[in-house]
Amino acid sequence: MISKKQRALTQLQSLDFVLRCPHCQKAAQATDTGMTCENHHTFDVAKQGYLHLAGTVAKSRYTKELFRARQALLSETRFFNPVISEIATWIEGESSLSSPLLVDMGCGEGTHLAGILEQVKSGRGIGIDLAKEGIQLATNHDVDALWLVADLAKSPVQEHSVDVVLNILSPANHQEFRRILKPGGYVVKVIPNAQYLEELRKFFYAGTDKETYENEGAKEQFEKTLETVHISRQNYSVELTDEQWRDLIAMTPLTWNAPPEQVNEFIELALPSVTVDLTVLVGKLKKS
């Protein structure tokens, strides 16, 4: 059985033309152990099957426990399946792209990119996140993807080399999207709507400005640089067990500061399901 490291090296051999050195921005080239550039900056693929292209990363709330909870919840409940299927169907049927290269900017533990690649059979992917803990879990997915720990604001991706930028429930850097996107390429962004996780919002944020969510700011930012070519709303419920509720609470920043007794009080409500309410936006670059 091929190791994760060998699989990553194989992916790197086929995708090195897309990458650049994070230090000097020179073109990258695959080696027997990882990647180098013409200025001899070298980066080795980790045994877990990813490439670390960031410097020292400060600790954050995005821990291994958070990503494990997220991966468990998403695999057990197919939490985002309708959204993933919507994106994959659009890429396959409407984008007119052949063998598209997808880059997921803020891929976390890789479930979204992996799910899309499972349906877009001709596609290849690169998943980028600054959280090493998420990328380490992403290597568990058996898909045609290369996983990178890297700075999203200064991604190690060549200019005008990407067919589709994915930005799913993550902060957007539209300047960077514009830099790496090919002419005729697309940005797919997923943003929450007012009812997204409303069960959590109504309980943990009752009477505050966080009880509801307004997405107009994210839409306006999207429309400044992109021409919207597709928009759809996905609104549905997902049934959860008590343990799955705990995984959801562990993975969402909405409840990071909730005391344990408040979490237990919420679990005791035994709510049958949670609301998923998301908008999928697809845009192409506006002509300058």
Side-chain angles (χ1 to χ4, degrees):
M1 183 177 177
I2 188 171
S3 69
K4 288 184 180 181
K5 183 173 182 177
Q6 188 55 53
R7 185 170 65 185
L9 287 167
T10 300
Q11 293 289 348
L12 185 55
Q13 291 283 348
S14 66
L15 289 170
D16 64 351
F17 71 96
V18 180
L19 302 179
R20 68 178 192 175
C21 176
H23 295 324
C24 64
Q25 286 72 57
K26 296 296 184 181
Q29 183 177 0
T31 67
D32 291 340
T33 59
M35 183 182 99
T36 190
C37 74
E38 64 185 61
N39 286 330
H40 308 295
H41 298 122
T42 60
F43 310 87
D44 289 341
V45 170
K47 66 179 181 180
Q48 296 95 333
Y50 66 93
L51 199 58
H52 198 302
L53 299 179
T56 302
V57 179
K59 288 187 177 182
S60 75
R61 300 291 294 270
Y62 289 91
T63 62
K64 184 174 291 187
E65 289 72 28
L66 179 150
F67 286 116
R68 282 178 173 165
R70 176 183 168 89
Q71 198 167 70
L73 178 71
L74 301 194
S75 63
E76 291 170 6
T77 66
R78 303 295 183 181
F79 199 86
F80 291 113
N81 261 27
V83 177
I84 297 305
S85 293
E86 169 72 14
I87 294 170
T89 298
W90 190 89
I91 292 172
E92 285 264 84
E94 304 295 331
S95 71
S96 301
L97 295 171
S98 177
S99 302
L101 174 63
L102 286 59
V103 173
D104 190 348
M105 301 286 273
C107 67
E109 37 59 62
T111 299
H112 300 320
L113 178 58
I116 292 168
L117 289 174
E118 285 171 359
Q119 297 180 55
V120 182
K121 299 299 185 182
S122 64
R124 294 179 297 168
I126 298 175
I128 303 177
D129 205 289
L130 195 55
K132 182 178 72 172
E133 293 78 8
I135 292 293
Q136 286 176 333
L137 286 175
T139 65
N140 293 331
H141 296 291
D142 186 14
V143 293
D144 193 5
L146 177 66
W147 305 102
L148 308 177
V149 177
D151 186 346
L152 298 175
K154 300 176 183 177
S155 66
V157 178
Q158 294 277 17
E159 293 183 359
H160 313 310
S161 61
V162 175
D163 295 299
V164 180
V165 172
L166 301 172
N167 187 229
I168 301 174
L169 295 174
S170 295
N173 187 318
H174 286 285
Q175 182 177 352
E176 189 68 356
F177 298 169
R178 175 180 285 276
R179 185 186 69 78
I180 68 175
L181 205 61
K182 285 181 181 177
Y186 299 93
V187 175
V188 178
K189 182 165 181 61
V190 177
I191 58 177
N193 297 318
Q195 292 178 298
Y196 183 60
L197 306 185
E198 65 176 356
E199 293 79 5
L200 295 180
R201 289 183 179 278
K202 287 180 178 179
F203 182 84
F204 290 98
Y205 292 100
T208 74
D209 58 358
K210 288 188 177 182
E211 188 172 356
T212 58
Y213 177 79
E214 175 57 60
N215 65 15
E216 285 306 311
K219 281 185 178 179
E220 288 174 5
Q221 187 187 28
F222 185 90
E223 292 168 353
K224 280 183 180 178
T225 57
L226 297 162
E227 175 189 345
T228 303
V229 298
H230 176 79
I231 183 169
S232 68
R233 183 172 181 175
Q234 301 290 321
N235 186 295
Y236 53 93
S237 296
V238 178
E239 294 182 359
L240 298 179
T241 65
D242 286 358
E243 188 59 35
Q244 288 164 347
W245 271 114
R246 290 189 183 277
D247 284 340
L248 178 59
I249 289 169
M251 81 180 219
T252 174
L254 274 176
T255 46
W256 277 353
N257 296 318
E261 56 270 21
Q262 190 180 22
V263 172
N264 290 334
E265 183 182 351
F266 177 82
I267 297 298
E268 288 173 2
L269 295 175
L271 298 179
S273 62
V274 66
T275 303
V276 178
D277 184 19
L278 300 168
T279 290
V280 178
L281 296 165
V282 182
K284 61 181 181 180
L285 293 177
K286 291 181 178 178
K287 295 180 180 179
S288 300

